[in-house]
Amino acid sequence: MKQNAEEQVMEAYYRVVGEAHVDNVLRQLDAAEEVIEGQKVPETLHEWFDGFIKGVKKAQGRQERRQLSKQFMARASVILAIFIAIAGILTVSVEAIRIRVFNMLLETQEQFTEIQFENGSEDLGEASDGTFSSWEDIEVVSGNFYPTYVPEGYIIEDYEVHDMFMHIVYTNGKDRSLIFGQSSMSTSIQIDTEDAQVSHPMIDGVQGIMAEEDGGVILVWHNNLFSYTLTGEISTEEALRMAESIEEQ
Amino acid sequence: MFLAAIEDVQVRHGLETLYHLYHKELWYVANDILKDEHEAQDVVQTAFIRVAKYIDQDFDPKCNKSRALIVIIVRNLAFDAYRKRQRQSTVVFDEVIHGADSQTYEPAEIRMIRLDNRHWVAEQLAELKSGYGDILTLKYVYDYSDQEIASLLEISEGNVRTRLSRARKALKKVIGGETLEAEC
């Protein structure tokens, strides 16, 4: 007990001396202020720091996008399930060749819904087993689609292609990003269905789903070949205009 | 998500402010020890890379504590670089400069701890070896763990523990001397 008390006293004293040490260090620096101000720091140090900060920004941007994509996928997938259900109903009476392009399997769990799609159509017959196994397969069926319109000030910052999902990241060069995604409708998705305020805008004659939350917009739609997603802090009007502008490249 | 983004921006601005305010004195400290511009630049760069990991949204680059922290890191990195340079032809820096530490050293009995002479004690400690005050400060003022100090100073955790042990012994020696002197 005595030893413990002594240790505590000494630790407190180390702190007191440490704080005094900080005072001394700063006093010495202040005393040398004139000399320090007269120092000529190499330009290469400034150049290094500029590059260092750019690297930090880039790393943080990547981190933010990962988080954005993660949340986006969770939200969008919820809405996607609803969307596919609606699309299935509509296509029965409209376009024979597109009817039941996908058979949708829904499995609702306590906290999420899992959606799987079985490709039952012949118009996408190049995938012999009825499903796309990779992005390359998708590209055989059709080319990639990109928005031909993006809100003013946004430029492409990044582009990624995963096995079953592609996304393009746009940035306004400041603090906002937009993510446009194109994915196979054979993707299996698990989603949390809470908190999304959903509307059903028409995009090129097909009903889509738009969710608004915390000033951000998530838009999900399709063109019978792929599903598309758009997420970011933009107005619903801008999001719809961007969605309607997609063209095959 | 958006709060995280704000925090990241604050961290980045913290780094930029830190550099803007103190780059001259950091350069001065490193170059004064090393007398070599290239090595001094390496040290300042390393210090920023190291300290960036420990900056959070509460970090205030303008406060004296932050200023002292980056100076202490630069100074220790510079001393280590100097030591490495000398090691090929000389014995260990610790022993050459001050001979302060000895495994057989027994600190004087501490009869009284006075707070009014803390700056003098800190000066005496730094006289023995500047790193002693630095390591105690990182541990007990900034509350960094041994692992964090090791990361900041680019040394092993074992080295941190050794330095802390030596610094504590040296401080006890200073206090003991002061106490005995005061009694005379």
Side-chain angles (χ1 to χ4, degrees):
Chain A
M1 180 66 86
K2 184 188 171 193
Q3 188 181 5
N4 189 38
E6 283 181 3
E7 281 175 6
Q8 288 179 1
V9 169
M10 286 311 299
E11 286 198 3
Y13 189 65
Y14 296 148
R15 187 168 294 112
V16 167
V17 172
E19 285 168 354
H21 180 69
V22 166
D23 292 341
N24 290 345
V25 167
L26 297 179
R27 199 164 51 235
Q28 286 167 7
L29 282 173
D30 289 340
E33 185 181 2
E34 208 169 305
V35 180
I36 290 169
E37 280 306 309
Q39 294 282 305
K40 184 165 171 48
V41 177
E43 198 57 37
T44 48
L45 184 59
H46 298 317
E47 289 167 4
W48 171 84
F49 187 76
D50 288 344
F52 173 62
I53 283 296
K54 280 177 189 165
V56 171
K57 280 182 186 173
K58 203 170 178 182
Q60 289 173 345
R62 278 196 297 270
Q63 177 68 17
E64 286 165 20
R65 284 197 299 279
R66 272 189 219 109
Q67 290 174 338
L68 193 63
S69 295
K70 223 174 176 181
Q71 292 200 357
F72 156 74
M73 285 303 290
R75 290 178 185 173
S77 55
V78 174
I79 301 160
L80 187 63
I82 303 165
F83 164 69
I84 294 301
I86 294 167
I89 295 165
L90 290 176
T91 52
V92 168
S93 60
V94 177
E95 192 178 2
I97 197 162
R98 298 293 184 199
I99 286 176
R100 302 178 65 79
V101 169
F102 293 94
N103 298 314
M104 184 176 66
L105 303 175
L106 289 180
E107 184 178 350
T108 304
Q109 305 289 339
E110 189 175 339
Q111 293 181 329
F112 65 90
T113 301
E114 180 170 358
I115 307 109
Q116 291 182 321
F117 306 100
E118 284 186 348
N119 185 352
S121 70
E122 294 182 356
D123 59 333
L124 300 177
E126 287 180 62
S128 59
D129 62 353
T131 59
F132 298 116
S133 59
S134 70
W135 183 254
E136 284 70 29
D137 290 339
I138 295 168
E139 288 180 326
V140 170
V141 175
S142 179
N144 294 334
F145 288 73
Y146 301 91
T148 56
Y149 166 81
V150 292
E152 190 176 345
Y154 282 84
I155 56 169
I156 292 177
E157 184 187 44
D158 202 1
Y159 173 97
E160 287 186 53
V161 177
H162 302 285
D163 283 351
M164 302 299 286
F165 180 78
M166 171 200 77
H167 75 240
I168 304 169
V169 179
Y170 299 87
T171 178
N172 67 351
K174 296 173 187 170
D175 55 353
R176 293 191 172 181
S177 297
L178 293 174
I179 300 177
F180 167 77
Q182 175 179 304
S183 60
S184 161
M185 294 177 77
S186 63
T187 305
S188 174
I189 303 161
Q190 290 182 354
I191 52 166
D192 177 354
T193 54
E194 292 180 346
D195 298 331
Q197 294 183 353
V198 180
S199 59
H200 305 278
M202 296 299 287
I203 299 163
D204 286 340
V206 178
Q207 194 169 35
I209 297 291
M210 181 180 285
E212 297 174 67
E213 188 183 347
D214 295 334
V217 169
I218 300 170
L219 179 60
V220 184
W221 73 103
H222 81 130
N223 64 356
N224 282 320
L225 289 173
F226 305 106
S227 62
Y228 301 96
T229 52
L230 178 64
T231 185
E233 288 179 278
I234 56 171
S235 67
T236 54
E237 292 76 17
E238 289 279 56
L240 287 170
R241 189 174 170 190
M242 201 167 162
E244 286 167 349
S245 76
I246 65 162
E247 287 181 8
E248 186 174 4
Q249 301 294 312
Chain B
M1 173 175 65
F2 299 117
L3 286 177
I6 289 167
E7 186 177 330
D8 287 342
V9 170
Q10 287 175 337
V11 168
R12 204 166 63 229
H13 287 169
L15 274 172
E16 287 172 325
T17 306
L18 200 67
Y19 182 83
H20 176 71
L21 290 175
Y22 310 126
H23 71 272
K24 274 194 174 179
E25 58 192 35
L26 297 176
W27 165 255
Y28 166 78
V29 167
N31 198 37
D32 193 47
I33 293 167
L34 292 162
K35 314 290 187 203
D36 182 298
E37 291 198 353
H38 296 293
E39 279 194 293
Q41 182 167 332
D42 285 346
V43 161
V44 174
Q45 291 173 0
T46 303
F48 271 95
I49 292 169
R50 291 287 158 180
V51 84
K53 297 176 184 173
Y54 296 95
I55 287 181
D56 57 26
Q57 59 182 338
D58 297 325
F59 181 80
D60 178 6
K62 293 178 182 172
C63 80
N64 279 336
K65 201 174 166 186
S66 303
R67 180 186 172 199
L69 173 65
I70 188 78
V71 168
I72 284 172
I73 293 169
V74 163
R75 189 162 69 180
N76 278 268
L77 291 173
F79 274 127
D80 279 349
Y82 179 84
R83 206 171 303 166
K84 281 173 190 165
R85 190 204 293 168
Q86 298 296 96
R87 193 165 285 158
Q88 290 179 339
S89 58
T90 63
V91 288
V92 179
F93 183 71
D94 289 3
E95 295 162 4
V96 170
I97 294 183
H98 302 299
D101 185 62
S102 165
Q103 295 300 320
T104 58
Y105 168 70
E106 292 296 333
E109 183 183 359
I110 301 163
R111 298 177 185 172
M112 181 173 65
I113 293 176
R114 292 167 51 188
L115 299 184
D116 58 347
N117 65 353
R118 59 189 183 279
H119 288 94
W120 180 87
V121 170
E123 279 175 14
Q124 295 303 305
L125 189 63
E127 280 289 310
L128 287 173
K129 186 170 186 288
S130 66
Y132 288 158
D134 292 345
I135 201 85
L136 286 181
T137 300
L138 291 173
K139 180 74 178 178
Y140 296 105
V141 177
Y142 293 94
D143 289 326
Y144 287 125
S145 67
D146 293 354
Q147 187 182 22
E148 288 169 331
I149 295 171
S151 171
L152 283 168
L153 303 186
E154 290 200 314
I155 56 178
S156 68
E157 281 187 60
N159 199 331
V160 171
R161 286 191 287 273
T162 301
R163 290 186 189 193
L164 277 169
S165 173
R166 290 175 178 178
R168 290 189 198 105
K169 285 179 182 175
L171 179 59
K172 286 175 182 174
K173 182 180 176 183
V174 170
I175 304 168
E178 168 64 5
T179 304
L180 291 170
E181 197 175 69
E183 286 180 343
C184 292

